[in-house]
Amino acid sequence: MTLDAGWDEHEAARRVADAYRARFGAEPDGVWSAPGRVNLIGEHTDYNGGLCLPLALRHRTYVALGAAADGVVELASSASPEPWRAPRGDACPGAVAGWAAYPAGVLWALGEHHDVLPGGFRAVFDSCVPLGSGLSSSAAIQCSTAVALDEVAALGLGASDGGRAELVEACVRGENEVAGARTGGMDQSASLLAREGHALLLDMRDGSHRHVPFALDEHGLTLLVIDTRVAHTHAGGEYASRRAECEAAAVQLGVATLREVGCDGLDAALERLAGGVALADGGSSAGDVVRRRVRHVVTEIARVEAFVEALERGDLDAAGALMVASHASLRDDYEVSCRELDVAVSAALDAGALGARMTGGGFGGCAIALVRADRVDAVAGAVEGAYAAEGFAPPRFLEARPSGAARRSEAATAAD
Ligand code: GAF
């Protein structure tokens, strides 16, 4: 089976530059791209001040962008028939709906602290990050915009880790306040900070990160991504309610975030949550429910630490077992899995995967499976078979190869 491993970067850059020229009749100032991500482990920990371990995909979103003097922002995407065109001042909370809220949100948030293109800009986007599949297509749009604006406006943030942290912050603010999705920052961090051949260990309490070598080839392994094709969204609903439960639990326990609880304090914390919690919106969450949420978060943070240790001593079987435990915790305690994800994970494990779990926010989206390279066809076939038996639409398979962060992408020339 040939797995979808993303587009050739130079070819994709050429195509999106051509699309810009065709639409605007002018040369773009450049082409930039930013990756989608999978998270190896550490799910729903980012907004709890926890640890997570994403890696950037070769699947990227490309943007051809050019400054414009007329005070107008015009955004077009190959994925949408509807361009967004508005005065620059309309790129702000409450004024933009749909996909354009992501790039417009970056402009707004960056503009809060920096002098970013007072005139306006034009942009055309193209992407091979599957949309709405839990692989951070939204973060990829945002982060490609962030590095493009950074360079065109000569802010110089993309050149250092500290500057990139500022770009992450702007993207998160844009997503939270303009797109209206209160996500936790893992996705933008992965897209802006990842390194080729490495996973990215993020500590969301102190904002630090570390690159952890993830040499799949050395171990003869493939990281298979199984797209359930069940669309998901984070702009409200279940994602927001999980976050609200965690925040209410932290308030009740008198800690800044659930990170402070730690495995040693877990039993005592669960005891104190037996009566349930009052939620900020006036509702409540029963003791049994909130205790399971907290147990997931605290044990998941510990699993990230154990996973990194397993990787560093080359014990991929132990890493696989931690993925399986993570999935069980997300399914049973955090309740963010769905039947399609569970079937994909079970079928992959039955067919010999070392580990498998849902990745990302859940409620659909993708699962990942750590598979010996010579077992990829067997595992993918087993998942297809299980989906057919359940009457699900066929899944889609991608390969996750640890790739690099958002950057300028040179277009292929006729000579290439
Ligand atoms: C989504 C969110 F955007 C992230 O911030 C993170 O919370 C993740 O779900 C769950 O780990 O991708």
Side-chain angles (χ1 to χ4, degrees):
M1 171 177 300
T2 314
L3 299 176
D4 170 4
W7 289 342
D8 175 84
E9 188 166 345
H10 301 299
E11 273 305 311
R14 184 187 51 73
R15 275 199 306 273
V16 77
D18 284 348
Y20 183 100
R21 287 182 201 106
R23 174 171 283 272
F24 299 120
E27 258 324 282
D29 289 335
V31 175
W32 292 262
S33 69
R37 64 95 193 90
V38 291
N39 187 19
L40 282 169
I41 197 157
E43 219 66 83
H44 289 274
T45 51
D46 58 352
Y47 53 82
N48 287 300
L51 302 172
C52 39
L53 191 69
L55 58 83
L57 295 170
R58 280 198 65 215
H59 301 76
R60 303 177 80 85
T61 293
Y62 294 82
V63 61
L65 186 144
D70 58 4
V72 169
V73 175
E74 186 162 352
L75 308 170
S77 162
S78 60
S80 163
E82 287 293 309
W84 186 79
R85 187 171 201 282
R88 188 187 188 291
D90 282 8
C92 66
V96 202
W99 71 271
Y102 290 93
V106 175
L107 174 66
W108 169 77
L110 264 183
E112 294 282 282
H113 299 290
H114 298 279
D115 197 11
V116 191
L117 301 184
F121 70 91
R122 315 263 183 270
V124 174
F125 295 87
D126 198 7
S127 184
C128 60
V129 184
L131 302 181
S133 291
L135 299 177
S136 288
S137 54
S138 328
I141 294 179
Q142 289 193 294
C143 298
S144 61
T145 309
V147 288
L149 290 177
D150 175 54
E151 213 176 307
V152 175
L155 305 180
L157 298 171
S160 68
D161 268 6
R164 282 189 173 242
E166 246 193 87
L167 294 178
V168 169
E169 212 181 299
C171 291
V172 174
R173 262 197 89 196
E175 177 164 36
N176 289 179
E177 294 180 43
V178 178
R182 255 193 96 221
T183 49
M186 168 176 72
D187 304 346
Q188 293 89 349
S189 303
S191 194
L192 279 158
L193 301 172
R195 182 181 290 172
E196 184 118 19
H198 292 73
L200 179 73
L201 176 61
L202 292 167
D203 184 328
M204 306 303 279
R205 174 163 62 185
D206 64 12
S208 63
H209 68 269
R210 180 159 78 79
H211 299 284
V212 180
F214 191 55
L216 286 162
D217 290 349
E218 265 175 31
H219 295 278
L221 293 172
T222 297
L223 187 61
L224 181 67
V225 182
I226 305 159
D227 182 356
T228 63
R229 312 191 82 153
V230 178
H232 81 135
T233 167
H234 295 323
E238 296 285 341
Y239 183 93
S241 84
R242 294 300 179 283
R243 185 166 180 165
E245 285 169 340
C246 291
E247 287 170 353
V251 168
Q252 175 128 334
L253 295 170
V255 291
T257 65
L258 293 182
R259 175 73 180 279
E260 309 311 318
V261 173
C263 283
D264 291 347
L266 183 58
D267 286 346
L270 297 184
E271 191 107 319
R272 289 178 62 192
L273 294 168
V277 291
L279 301 173
D281 69 359
S284 61
S285 190
D288 164 52
V289 173
V290 78
R291 280 156 42 129
R292 283 187 287 120
R293 306 296 189 244
V294 171
R295 187 167 59 191
H296 165 71
V297 172
V298 173
T299 58
E300 183 76 352
I301 293 170
R303 279 188 288 272
V304 178
E305 283 174 324
F307 190 96
V308 170
E309 281 165 24
L311 277 191
E312 289 180 334
R313 60 173 196 273
D315 187 347
L316 276 301
D317 287 314
L322 288 158
M323 292 169 75
V324 176
S326 168
H327 185 78
S329 178
L330 288 156
R331 181 191 59 212
D332 302 335
D333 277 354
Y334 218 62
E335 296 181 286
V336 291
S337 187
C338 64
R339 180 87 188 126
E340 288 82 352
L341 285 166
D342 295 343
V343 168
V345 166
S346 302
L349 292 172
D350 289 348
L354 274 65
R357 59 181 290 277
M358 55 159 278
T359 188
F363 310 109
C366 289
I368 49 173
L370 197 55
V371 181
R372 269 185 256 286
D374 61 0
R375 293 289 300 162
V376 168
D377 284 355
V379 168
V383 175
E384 273 173 344
Y387 267 46
E390 293 276 344
F392 300 158
R396 174 166 51 185
F397 299 98
L398 294 79
E399 184 176 359
R401 286 200 214 137
S403 172
R407 61 189 170 217
R408 185 186 263 267
S409 292
E410 299 305 335
T413 61
D416 287 331

